[in-house]
Amino acid sequence: EEHFQLMRVRTSSEVSEILPTLVSRQFAVHTLRIELGSRLEIDHRFKIRCAVVPLTGGSSRWLIETSNQGPYPTNTNDGEDFGFAPVPQAQLSVTTPRAPPAATVDVTIVISSLIDGPQQLIAPLGVLFPTGVGACGASSNFLCTDIGEFRQRRITKISAMDGRAPPLNQPLVLRATLPEVAEAQPTWVMMTRENDEQPEQWGYVASFPLHPLPSIAFHYTAVAGKSNTEVVVTFTVGAVAGGKRLLIQAPVGYILACENGAGRIQQVPLPGGDPLCTDMHSAVATALQQRQLTVELNGTTFGFADYAFGFR
């Protein structure tokens, strides 16, 4: 149909190999002509897959004909097959000031165009939201609630405080936990729809990249069963400055402790006053907690620099 622009084409047969010898577009950009290397066979199922760009909204009809290059088609559907109805595109942006792997961060959504109605936001694979009504909203100008998943991707329902469409051109801050490793080409998708009905509008935007600590290294003598092994950690802050708290989590089988008794570490070049070190060695600590250790800077935050500290 002339309301679509053809982009890419791929053909195949589920039964036999009938490869095209020529694929071309005719009559501007909305008609596709395929010349096959052999004749079509009856009772065989064939597929043509092409990428198109909808130029208008509303319903569409698709005409399919076969021909022997004569004046009339050998087969036709007479254009009676309804295709699909393109919907308006939602416009949005998604940003965050920091994106460490596995961190809980504030993500800012700005919607610049949408139609009135409930909005569903589908996060990239691995991104999680707090559960509970309104739990994922971190700003007071909208409501955000995790409502389920689609192909292992979490879905949130976002709306204004009165339940209508969220406000346009305003920062909507939601809280999310990022994955440890991002999928290839992660995207955020927004749809206007009620429950599982057909979307009335949708759009998507590429996600922000994760920012792991570069050049991080752990230095220690690896002797099995040895206690009080000194460990030195070196790392570089090179993506996002700020922050004052570090969490160290060791592999299974390790127990971490602060240097020189509880509350201290070997400061080496950490900035500020004496940092506060916290370990979990109580009788009620879980195996996971015993593998963890936190270090909090005293009176300052991390800037763009190289750092190191030690513990046992």
Side-chain angles (χ1 to χ4, degrees):
E1 183 172 297
E2 62 182 5
H3 295 164
F4 291 84
Q5 178 179 348
L6 291 163
M7 303 298 292
R8 298 182 305 274
V9 182
R10 187 172 69 193
T11 61
S12 68
S13 167
E14 291 186 347
V15 180
S16 60
E17 293 293 334
I18 303 181
L19 300 179
T21 57
L22 174 63
V23 176
S24 64
R25 290 180 290 183
Q26 293 179 307
F27 310 115
V29 292
H30 57 267
T31 300
L32 175 70
R33 180 171 64 92
I34 302 174
E35 292 188 10
L36 301 179
S38 59
R39 292 179 176 273
L40 292 172
E41 300 178 15
I42 62 172
D43 297 327
H44 282 197
R45 183 182 179 91
F46 298 92
K47 290 183 178 180
I48 300 174
R49 178 176 297 177
C50 59
V52 299
V53 175
L55 303 179
T56 62
S59 61
S60 60
R61 292 177 180 268
W62 292 76
L63 172 67
I64 301 177
E65 295 181 343
T66 62
S67 170
N68 287 330
Q69 298 182 340
Y72 303 104
T74 56
N75 296 279
T76 180
N77 69 343
D78 292 321
E80 295 181 350
D81 291 330
F82 285 97
F84 50 88
V87 298
Q89 183 177 14
Q91 303 285 342
L92 71 155
S93 66
V94 181
T95 59
T96 183
R98 63 188 190 92
T104 298
V105 301
D106 288 344
V107 177
T108 300
I109 310 291
V110 177
I111 306 171
S112 55
S113 72
L114 53 76
I115 60 177
D116 192 18
Q119 307 296 317
Q120 293 184 6
L121 181 67
I122 304 178
L125 185 66
V127 175
L128 303 176
F129 300 103
T131 57
V133 177
C136 56
S139 60
S140 60
N141 58 342
F142 82 118
L143 292 174
C144 174
T145 302
D146 186 306
I147 59 173
E149 68 175 33
F150 172 74
R151 295 185 178 180
Q152 300 182 328
R153 299 172 61 173
R154 301 307 302 175
I155 305 175
T156 64
K157 180 179 179 180
I158 62 175
S159 67
M161 302 303 292
D162 60 2
R164 297 176 64 84
L168 294 179
N169 301 315
Q170 295 185 25
L172 311 177
V173 183
L174 57 87
R175 191 144 295 150
T177 299
L178 305 181
E180 292 187 4
V181 179
E183 62 176 326
Q185 299 179 336
T187 57
W188 296 78
V189 178
M190 175 166 288
M191 298 185 295
T192 304
R193 72 172 181 176
E194 184 70 47
N195 300 322
D196 294 329
E197 296 180 1
Q198 183 74 18
E200 300 177 25
Q201 182 183 35
W202 75 281
Y204 70 94
V205 65
S207 185
F208 44 81
L210 296 181
H211 292 148
L213 282 175
S215 305
I216 188 169
F218 292 82
H219 309 273
Y220 61 97
T221 303
V223 178
K226 182 181 178 181
S227 60
N228 293 324
T229 299
E230 293 185 356
V231 180
V232 175
V233 182
T234 60
F235 61 94
T236 300
V237 175
V240 180
K244 58 183 297 185
R245 182 173 175 269
L246 288 168
L247 169 66
I248 308 297
Q249 180 173 306
V252 175
Y254 286 74
I255 298 177
L256 301 186
C258 299
E259 176 73 16
N260 299 327
R264 300 294 300 276
I265 63 169
Q266 293 178 354
Q267 186 170 350
V268 203
L270 286 181
D274 290 340
L276 175 63
C277 178
T278 305
D279 55 36
M280 296 293 291
H281 281 175
S282 66
V284 295
T286 65
L288 175 61
Q289 290 173 331
Q290 291 180 354
R291 294 163 45 201
Q292 296 177 338
L293 178 147
T294 60
V295 177
E296 186 169 339
L297 297 184
N298 184 358
T300 187
T301 59
F302 289 104
F304 296 115
D306 298 324
Y307 298 98
F309 65 94
F311 59 91
R312 293 183 181 272

